[in-house]
Amino acid sequence: QSDEGKSRCFCAWLKRPAKVITVEQLNLYRKAKYFFEKSRNSLGYRELRKKLRSEGFNVSDYGVQKIMATLGLVVINEGFVA
């Protein structure tokens, strides 16, 4: 592909509309981030799912994994020695 073709693709990508999320999804993201940060980045997807379900959100393991990936939540185990 020529440089001109690449720039056309990039411009088309930039012009795509922003992804719209619902209020419920926004609240889910906020609560997930809150629990994760409260745990000092040590909450895995299983425990995060339990906490979200206790708050009334109906989410699956895979759904929580997608949320963590979308928000960039990565577990850090400080002090762990292999």
Side-chain angles (χ1 to χ4, degrees):
Q1 220 179 25
S2 67
D3 286 339
E4 184 180 312
K6 289 178 184 176
S7 66
R8 265 187 281 148
C9 292
F10 181 71
C11 287
W13 178 78
L14 282 177
K15 291 178 184 175
R16 285 189 315 183
K19 191 171 184 179
V20 178
I21 63 171
T22 63
V23 173
E24 183 179 329
Q25 198 171 14
L26 179 64
N27 289 335
L28 175 62
Y29 286 174
R30 285 179 175 164
K31 196 58 102 167
K33 190 162 183 148
Y34 167 77
F35 283 135
F36 189 77
E37 288 175 350
K38 188 176 175 188
S39 74
R40 297 184 319 225
N41 301 350
S42 66
L43 207 60
Y45 75 91
R46 290 183 185 104
E47 286 298 316
L48 183 55
R49 181 183 60 102
K50 287 179 191 174
K51 289 191 178 289
L52 290 172
R53 283 191 170 192
S54 72
E55 292 287 319
F57 294 102
N58 185 20
V59 290
S60 64
D61 282 350
Y62 180 68
V64 174
Q65 289 171 338
K66 280 178 55 175
I67 290 168
M68 290 179 74
T70 301
L71 299 178
L73 305 178
V74 179
V75 176
I76 298 172
N77 291 327
E78 293 183 11
F80 178 73
V81 178

